[in-house]
Amino acid sequence: MRIWRSLDDVPADLAATVVTIGNFDGVHLGHRAVLRRTRELADELGHRVVAVTFDPHPIAVLRPDHAPQTLTEVGTRCALLADAGVDDVFVLPFDREVAAWTPEEFVRRVVVDGLHARAVVVGANFRFGARAAGDVAFLREFGREHGFTAEGIELDGGPQVWSSTYVRTCLAAGDVEGAAEALGRPFSLVGQVVRGDQRGRELGYPTANVPTHGLAAPADGVYAGRLRVLDEGDPLQGQWLPAAISVGTNPTFEGERDRRVESYVLDREGIELYDRTVEVTFTARIRGMVRFDGVEELLERMTLDVERTRELLEGTA
């Protein structure tokens, strides 16, 4: 897969393509319906699939106070797009200048002149251009004049319309099973393990701590899930390790801390994960976050959490 981060990066001799456009945050089942149709068209026409996505999220530029937490950072998003059949990705740097492009400017610069599209596939509710004036009908009309077809695909999942907003709503409620249903896979978070306050190690439950820093995460609480190391060449790379996962700020101890994801890997004494890039997946919620009266009460509950994690993960991949 090739990843282009500006129009200047796109090869001047790029052949005709089939283009799909969207934020693709999460690459959920609705997105995958769009991507599936894009792949079908590309195979029929003998062209490559190029996905156009935006970084940062347009709302982060236009209404920063209302910017949603990100379900997938760009690297993860590109990997998921490749898994869904995309050949190349154009990550369009979204800023005030791009936001001011009219629909005509956007399509001419990106779709026609930049990517030489012969077909465009988007979600049925896709809007673009200044004041979100462009839609699927505009794409069809413009395409007739400039040599490409355009289709809008509904994002229905039965009674539910799959969307990144729906996934975030599930996560905010701690409903990781609902998020997984919409995503077509368990929700996961990717980040670099940082050094914490070492309390888990002192208590006999050392954890790999990943700050959230604007990434979406489930509601504060304890979850059963898995962790794997992503670093190339690492001895643990790719191994899914069962883990009891705490999300929050650990209210039992004094002092304000950033919200983070803390994963205790089961049955792997002496494992060191500092500075490694890991992916943490969430399988099921065990309980909400509780402030305990003392360390002994906390330890008793942590023991129960680990046993519950074993039960929930038993027999699952």
Side-chain angles (χ1 to χ4, degrees), residues 20 58 108 172 277:
T20 182
R108 189 182 300 279
T277 300

Side-chain angles (χ1 to χ4, degrees), residues 217-260:
D220 288 4
V222 177
Y223 299 81
R226 288 182 169 82
L227 174 151
R228 67 172 174 173
V229 176
L230 300 181
D231 297 309
E232 291 287 340
D234 192 286
L236 293 174
Q237 183 191 3
Q239 297 181 41
W240 282 112
L241 306 173
I245 307 162
S246 172
V247 180
T249 59
N250 200 338
T252 298
F253 298 99
E254 296 296 330
E256 293 187 7
R257 298 188 309 173
D258 291 336
R259 191 166 185 258
R260 60 194 183 191

